[in-house]
PDB file of all heavy atoms in Angstrom:
ATOM      1  N   PRO A  98      -4.749  81.875-235.578  1.00  0.00           N
ATOM      2  CA  PRO A  98      -6.067  81.623-236.132  1.00  0.00           C
ATOM      3  C   PRO A  98      -7.154  81.459-235.054  1.00  0.00           C
ATOM      4  O   PRO A  98      -8.186  80.800-235.287  1.00  0.00           O
ATOM      5  CB  PRO A  98      -5.831  80.246-236.845  1.00  0.00           C
ATOM      6  CG  PRO A  98      -4.917  79.539-235.952  1.00  0.00           C
ATOM      7  CD  PRO A  98      -4.019  80.595-235.351  1.00  0.00           C
ATOM      8  N   LEU A  99      -6.975  82.088-233.906  1.00  0.00           N
ATOM      9  CA  LEU A  99      -7.923  81.916-232.797  1.00  0.00           C
ATOM     10  C   LEU A  99      -9.039  82.896-232.938  1.00  0.00           C
ATOM     11  O   LEU A  99      -8.915  84.027-233.392  1.00  0.00           O
ATOM     12  CB  LEU A  99      -7.198  82.118-231.473  1.00  0.00           C
ATOM     13  CG  LEU A  99      -6.037  81.150-231.190  1.00  0.00           C
ATOM     14  CD1 LEU A  99      -5.394  81.505-229.833  1.00  0.00           C
ATOM     15  CD2 LEU A  99      -6.452  79.716-231.197  1.00  0.00           C
ATOM     16  N   ASP A 100     -10.246  82.488-232.458  1.00  0.00           N
ATOM     17  CA  ASP A 100     -11.414  83.305-232.480  1.00  0.00           C
ATOM     18  C   ASP A 100     -11.718  83.842-231.053  1.00  0.00           C
ATOM     19  O   ASP A 100     -12.245  84.937-230.897  1.00  0.00           O
ATOM     20  CB  ASP A 100     -12.630  82.532-233.014  1.00  0.00           C
ATOM     21  CG  ASP A 100     -13.916  83.269-232.786  1.00  0.00           C
ATOM     22  OD1 ASP A 100     -14.111  84.281-233.516  1.00  0.00           O
ATOM     23  OD2 ASP A 100     -14.727  82.861-231.953  1.00  0.00           O
ATOM     24  N   LYS A 101     -11.408  83.059-230.063  1.00  0.00           N
ATOM     25  CA  LYS A 101     -11.530  83.400-228.652  1.00  0.00           C
ATOM     26  C   LYS A 101     -12.954  83.838-228.268  1.00  0.00           C
ATOM     27  O   LYS A 101     -13.175  84.751-227.448  1.00  0.00           O
ATOM     28  CB  LYS A 101     -10.515  84.540-228.269  1.00  0.00           C
ATOM     29  CG  LYS A 101      -9.090  84.077-228.200  1.00  0.00           C
ATOM     30  CD  LYS A 101      -8.898  83.062-227.059  1.00  0.00           C
ATOM     31  CE  LYS A 101      -7.469  82.650-226.845  1.00  0.00           C
ATOM     32  NZ  LYS A 101      -6.710  83.676-226.060  1.00  0.00           N
ATOM     33  N   GLY A 102     -13.967  83.227-228.875  1.00  0.00           N
ATOM     34  CA  GLY A 102     -15.353  83.474-228.497  1.00  0.00           C
ATOM     35  C   GLY A 102     -15.996  84.659-229.162  1.00  0.00           C
ATOM     36  O   GLY A 102     -17.152  84.979-228.858  1.00  0.00           O
ATOM     37  N   CYS A 103     -15.308  85.327-230.091  1.00  0.00           N
ATOM     38  CA  CYS A 103     -15.889  86.483-230.762  1.00  0.00           C
ATOM     39  C   CYS A 103     -17.139  86.074-231.543  1.00  0.00           C
ATOM     40  O   CYS A 103     -18.134  86.784-231.553  1.00  0.00           O
ATOM     41  CB  CYS A 103     -14.904  87.103-231.729  1.00  0.00           C
ATOM     42  SG  CYS A 103     -13.509  87.918-230.961  1.00  0.00           S
ATOM     43  N   GLN A 104     -17.109  84.942-232.201  1.00  0.00           N
ATOM     44  CA  GLN A 104     -18.278  84.501-233.021  1.00  0.00           C
ATOM     45  C   GLN A 104     -19.450  84.192-232.151  1.00  0.00           C
ATOM     46  O   GLN A 104     -20.591  84.424-232.588  1.00  0.00           O
ATOM     47  CB  GLN A 104     -17.842  83.332-233.911  1.00  0.00           C
ATOM     48  CG  GLN A 104     -16.790  83.724-234.984  1.00  0.00           C
ATOM     49  CD  GLN A 104     -16.267  82.553-235.757  1.00  0.00           C
ATOM     50  OE1 GLN A 104     -16.919  81.519-235.885  1.00  0.00           O
ATOM     51  NE2 GLN A 104     -15.063  82.738-236.285  1.00  0.00           N
ATOM     52  N   GLU A 105     -19.223  83.656-230.956  1.00  0.00           N
ATOM     53  CA  GLU A 105     -20.341  83.467-230.025  1.00  0.00           C
ATOM     54  C   GLU A 105     -21.018  84.743-229.655  1.00  0.00           C
ATOM     55  O   GLU A 105     -22.238  84.837-229.481  1.00  0.00           O
ATOM     56  CB  GLU A 105     -19.889  82.684-228.766  1.00  0.00           C
ATOM     57  CG  GLU A 105     -19.790  81.197-228.944  1.00  0.00           C
ATOM     58  CD  GLU A 105     -18.425  80.769-229.496  1.00  0.00           C
ATOM     59  OE1 GLU A 105     -17.662  81.668-229.854  1.00  0.00           O
ATOM     60  OE2 GLU A 105     -18.185  79.533-229.546  1.00  0.00           O
ATOM     61  N   VAL A 106     -20.201  85.784-229.459  1.00  0.00           N
ATOM     62  CA  VAL A 106     -20.759  87.133-229.146  1.00  0.00           C
ATOM     63  C   VAL A 106     -21.691  87.581-230.241  1.00  0.00           C
ATOM     64  O   VAL A 106     -22.761  88.119-229.968  1.00  0.00           O
ATOM     65  CB  VAL A 106     -19.574  88.145-228.927  1.00  0.00           C
ATOM     66  CG1 VAL A 106     -20.153  89.569-228.800  1.00  0.00           C
ATOM     67  CG2 VAL A 106     -18.758  87.796-227.708  1.00  0.00           C
ATOM     68  N   LEU A 107     -21.275  87.338-231.483  1.00  0.00           N
ATOM     69  CA  LEU A 107     -22.137  87.766-232.631  1.00  0.00           C
ATOM     70  C   LEU A 107     -23.393  86.957-232.653  1.00  0.00           C
ATOM     71  O   LEU A 107     -24.496  87.490-232.934  1.00  0.00           O
ATOM     72  CB  LEU A 107     -21.339  87.604-233.927  1.00  0.00           C
ATOM     73  CG  LEU A 107     -20.067  88.413-234.052  1.00  0.00           C
ATOM     74  CD1 LEU A 107     -19.332  88.123-235.373  1.00  0.00           C
ATOM     75  CD2 LEU A 107     -20.328  89.906-233.930  1.00  0.00           C
ATOM     76  N   VAL A 108     -23.282  85.660-232.401  1.00  0.00           N
ATOM     77  CA  VAL A 108     -24.527  84.810-232.390  1.00  0.00           C
ATOM     78  C   VAL A 108     -25.474  85.247-231.371  1.00  0.00           C
ATOM     79  O   VAL A 108     -26.720  85.267-231.599  1.00  0.00           O
ATOM     80  CB  VAL A 108     -24.129  83.327-232.218  1.00  0.00           C
ATOM     81  CG1 VAL A 108     -25.318  82.467-231.948  1.00  0.00           C
ATOM     82  CG2 VAL A 108     -23.384  82.793-233.422  1.00  0.00           C
ATOM     83  N   GLU A 109     -25.002  85.651-230.181  1.00  0.00           N
ATOM     84  CA  GLU A 109     -25.866  86.132-229.139  1.00  0.00           C
ATOM     85  C   GLU A 109     -26.636  87.383-229.558  1.00  0.00           C
ATOM     86  O   GLU A 109     -27.753  87.620-229.086  1.00  0.00           O
ATOM     87  CB  GLU A 109     -25.048  86.443-227.906  1.00  0.00           C
ATOM     88  CG  GLU A 109     -24.489  85.228-227.228  1.00  0.00           C
ATOM     89  CD  GLU A 109     -23.570  85.596-226.042  1.00  0.00           C
ATOM     90  OE1 GLU A 109     -23.404  86.825-225.770  1.00  0.00           O
ATOM     91  OE2 GLU A 109     -23.009  84.692-225.425  1.00  0.00           O
ATOM     92  N   ARG A 110     -26.090  88.188-230.491  1.00  0.00           N
ATOM     93  CA  ARG A 110     -26.757  89.366-230.943  1.00  0.00           C
ATOM     94  C   ARG A 110     -27.671  89.026-232.133  1.00  0.00           C
ATOM     95  O   ARG A 110     -28.768  89.643-232.290  1.00  0.00           O
ATOM     96  CB  ARG A 110     -25.727  90.419-231.387  1.00  0.00           C
ATOM     97  CG  ARG A 110     -24.712  90.859-230.394  1.00  0.00           C
ATOM     98  CD  ARG A 110     -25.323  91.685-229.263  1.00  0.00           C
ATOM     99  NE  ARG A 110     -25.849  92.943-229.747  1.00  0.00           N
ATOM    100  CZ  ARG A 110     -25.302  94.106-229.462  1.00  0.00           C
ATOM    101  NH1 ARG A 110     -24.202  94.193-228.714  1.00  0.00           N
ATOM    102  NH2 ARG A 110     -25.909  95.244-229.879  1.00  0.00           N
ATOM    103  N   LEU A 111     -27.276  88.092-232.954  1.00  0.00           N
ATOM    104  CA  LEU A 111     -28.011  87.840-234.196  1.00  0.00           C
ATOM    105  C   LEU A 111     -29.186  86.874-234.000  1.00  0.00           C
ATOM    106  O   LEU A 111     -30.213  87.006-234.703  1.00  0.00           O
ATOM    107  CB  LEU A 111     -27.058  87.274-235.269  1.00  0.00           C
ATOM    108  CG  LEU A 111     -25.931  88.202-235.709  1.00  0.00           C
ATOM    109  CD1 LEU A 111     -24.951  87.473-236.585  1.00  0.00           C
ATOM    110  CD2 LEU A 111     -26.495  89.437-236.442  1.00  0.00           C
ATOM    111  N   SER A 112     -29.067  85.903-233.108  1.00  0.00           N
ATOM    112  CA  SER A 112     -30.127  84.905-232.947  1.00  0.00           C
ATOM    113  C   SER A 112     -31.459  85.571-232.530  1.00  0.00           C
ATOM    114  O   SER A 112     -32.502  85.150-233.091  1.00  0.00           O
ATOM    115  CB  SER A 112     -29.695  83.871-231.909  1.00  0.00           C
ATOM    116  OG  SER A 112     -28.627  83.070-232.368  1.00  0.00           O
ATOM    117  N   PRO A 113     -31.490  86.479-231.604  1.00  0.00           N
ATOM    118  CA  PRO A 113     -32.749  87.079-231.232  1.00  0.00           C
ATOM    119  C   PRO A 113     -33.456  87.826-232.307  1.00  0.00           C
ATOM    120  O   PRO A 113     -34.675  88.075-232.240  1.00  0.00           O
ATOM    121  CB  PRO A 113     -32.367  88.035-230.090  1.00  0.00           C
ATOM    122  CG  PRO A 113     -31.099  87.493-229.558  1.00  0.00           C
ATOM    123  CD  PRO A 113     -30.364  86.939-230.748  1.00  0.00           C
ATOM    124  N   ILE A 114     -32.772  88.192-233.401  1.00  0.00           N
ATOM    125  CA  ILE A 114     -33.440  88.932-234.486  1.00  0.00           C
ATOM    126  C   ILE A 114     -33.689  88.031-235.678  1.00  0.00           C
ATOM    127  O   ILE A 114     -33.864  88.491-236.809  1.00  0.00           O
ATOM    128  CB  ILE A 114     -32.671  90.212-234.886  1.00  0.00           C
ATOM    129  CG1 ILE A 114     -31.223  89.838-235.337  1.00  0.00           C
ATOM    130  CG2 ILE A 114     -32.605  91.202-233.744  1.00  0.00           C
ATOM    131  CD1 ILE A 114     -30.480  91.063-235.950  1.00  0.00           C
ATOM    132  N   GLY A 115     -33.631  86.720-235.446  1.00  0.00           N
ATOM    133  CA  GLY A 115     -34.088  85.771-236.470  1.00  0.00           C
ATOM    134  C   GLY A 115     -33.013  85.127-237.335  1.00  0.00           C
ATOM    135  O   GLY A 115     -33.289  84.512-238.355  1.00  0.00           O
ATOM    136  N   PHE A 116     -31.725  85.314-236.970  1.00  0.00           N
ATOM    137  CA  PHE A 116     -30.650  84.669-237.737  1.00  0.00           C
ATOM    138  C   PHE A 116     -30.514  83.208-237.295  1.00  0.00           C
ATOM    139  O   PHE A 116     -30.422  82.921-236.074  1.00  0.00           O
ATOM    140  CB  PHE A 116     -29.307  85.393-237.500  1.00  0.00           C
ATOM    141  CG  PHE A 116     -29.119  86.610-238.356  1.00  0.00           C
ATOM    142  CD1 PHE A 116     -29.724  87.820-238.047  1.00  0.00           C
ATOM    143  CD2 PHE A 116     -28.307  86.547-239.493  1.00  0.00           C
ATOM    144  CE1 PHE A 116     -29.526  88.956-238.851  1.00  0.00           C
ATOM    145  CE2 PHE A 116     -28.121  87.671-240.280  1.00  0.00           C
ATOM    146  CZ  PHE A 116     -28.699  88.886-239.946  1.00  0.00           C
ATOM    147  N   GLU A 117     -30.402  82.350-238.231  1.00  0.00           N
ATOM    148  CA  GLU A 117     -29.981  80.962-237.981  1.00  0.00           C
ATOM    149  C   GLU A 117     -28.501  80.885-238.253  1.00  0.00           C
ATOM    150  O   GLU A 117     -27.991  81.549-239.143  1.00  0.00           O
ATOM    151  CB  GLU A 117     -30.737  79.974-238.868  1.00  0.00           C
ATOM    152  CG  GLU A 117     -32.256  79.997-238.565  1.00  0.00           C
ATOM    153  CD  GLU A 117     -33.011  78.934-239.416  1.00  0.00           C
ATOM    154  OE1 GLU A 117     -32.334  78.283-240.254  1.00  0.00           O
ATOM    155  OE2 GLU A 117     -34.213  78.816-239.228  1.00  0.00           O
ATOM    156  N   HIS A 118     -27.785  80.041-237.480  1.00  0.00           N
ATOM    157  CA  HIS A 118     -26.375  80.022-237.611  1.00  0.00           C
ATOM    158  C   HIS A 118     -25.796  78.633-237.556  1.00  0.00           C
ATOM    159  O   HIS A 118     -26.440  77.701-237.048  1.00  0.00           O
ATOM    160  CB  HIS A 118     -25.732  80.846-236.516  1.00  0.00           C
ATOM    161  CG  HIS A 118     -25.729  80.195-235.166  1.00  0.00           C
ATOM    162  ND1 HIS A 118     -26.844  80.245-234.323  1.00  0.00           N
ATOM    163  CD2 HIS A 118     -24.820  79.416-234.544  1.00  0.00           C
ATOM    164  CE1 HIS A 118     -26.564  79.563-233.223  1.00  0.00           C
ATOM    165  NE2 HIS A 118     -25.348  79.058-233.323  1.00  0.00           N
ATOM    166  N   GLU A 119     -24.601  78.485-238.091  1.00  0.00           N
ATOM    167  CA  GLU A 119     -23.832  77.234-237.952  1.00  0.00           C
ATOM    168  C   GLU A 119     -22.364  77.573-237.860  1.00  0.00           C
ATOM    169  O   GLU A 119     -21.879  78.494-238.546  1.00  0.00           O
ATOM    170  CB  GLU A 119     -24.101  76.275-239.127  1.00  0.00           C
ATOM    171  CG  GLU A 119     -23.788  76.833-240.486  1.00  0.00           C
ATOM    172  CD  GLU A 119     -24.186  75.850-241.614  1.00  0.00           C
ATOM    173  OE1 GLU A 119     -23.711  74.731-241.578  1.00  0.00           O
ATOM    174  OE2 GLU A 119     -24.991  76.269-242.479  1.00  0.00           O
ATOM    175  N   PHE A 120     -21.640  76.845-237.058  1.00  0.00           N
ATOM    176  CA  PHE A 120     -20.213  76.961-236.972  1.00  0.00           C
ATOM    177  C   PHE A 120     -19.586  75.910-237.855  1.00  0.00           C
ATOM    178  O   PHE A 120     -20.002  74.745-237.828  1.00  0.00           O
ATOM    179  CB  PHE A 120     -19.701  76.803-235.524  1.00  0.00           C
ATOM    180  CG  PHE A 120     -20.123  77.882-234.629  1.00  0.00           C
ATOM    181  CD1 PHE A 120     -21.005  77.663-233.560  1.00  0.00           C
ATOM    182  CD2 PHE A 120     -19.682  79.196-234.812  1.00  0.00           C
ATOM    183  CE1 PHE A 120     -21.437  78.680-232.733  1.00  0.00           C
ATOM    184  CE2 PHE A 120     -20.130  80.218-233.967  1.00  0.00           C
ATOM    185  CZ  PHE A 120     -20.968  79.959-232.922  1.00  0.00           C
ATOM    186  N   MET A 121     -18.607  76.312-238.664  1.00  0.00           N
ATOM    187  CA  MET A 121     -17.952  75.351-239.542  1.00  0.00           C
ATOM    188  C   MET A 121     -16.471  75.296-239.118  1.00  0.00           C
ATOM    189  O   MET A 121     -15.806  76.355-239.050  1.00  0.00           O
ATOM    190  CB  MET A 121     -18.067  75.806-241.031  1.00  0.00           C
ATOM    191  CG  MET A 121     -19.479  75.868-241.539  1.00  0.00           C
ATOM    192  SD  MET A 121     -19.485  76.318-243.302  1.00  0.00           S
ATOM    193  CE  MET A 121     -21.264  76.398-243.645  1.00  0.00           C
ATOM    194  N   TYR A 122     -15.989  74.081-238.907  1.00  0.00           N
ATOM    195  CA  TYR A 122     -14.620  73.886-238.508  1.00  0.00           C
ATOM    196  C   TYR A 122     -13.860  73.166-239.623  1.00  0.00           C
ATOM    197  O   TYR A 122     -14.283  72.128-240.118  1.00  0.00           O
ATOM    198  CB  TYR A 122     -14.580  73.047-237.197  1.00  0.00           C
ATOM    199  CG  TYR A 122     -15.268  73.665-236.040  1.00  0.00           C
ATOM    200  CD1 TYR A 122     -16.659  73.497-235.826  1.00  0.00           C
ATOM    201  CD2 TYR A 122     -14.545  74.437-235.123  1.00  0.00           C
ATOM    202  CE1 TYR A 122     -17.263  74.085-234.731  1.00  0.00           C
ATOM    203  CE2 TYR A 122     -15.180  75.047-234.047  1.00  0.00           C
ATOM    204  CZ  TYR A 122     -16.544  74.853-233.846  1.00  0.00           C
ATOM    205  OH  TYR A 122     -17.172  75.400-232.780  1.00  0.00           O
TER     206      TYR A 122
END
Side-chain angles (χ1 to χ4, degrees):
L99 302 178
D100 171 71
K101 287 296 185 79
C103 291
Q104 293 173 24
E105 278 87 352
V106 171
L107 300 178
V108 169
E109 290 174 3
R110 303 290 295 250
L111 296 172
S112 293
I114 59 172
F116 277 79
E117 297 183 357
H118 74 277
E119 58 185 302
F120 294 114
M121 299 185 182
Y122 298 87

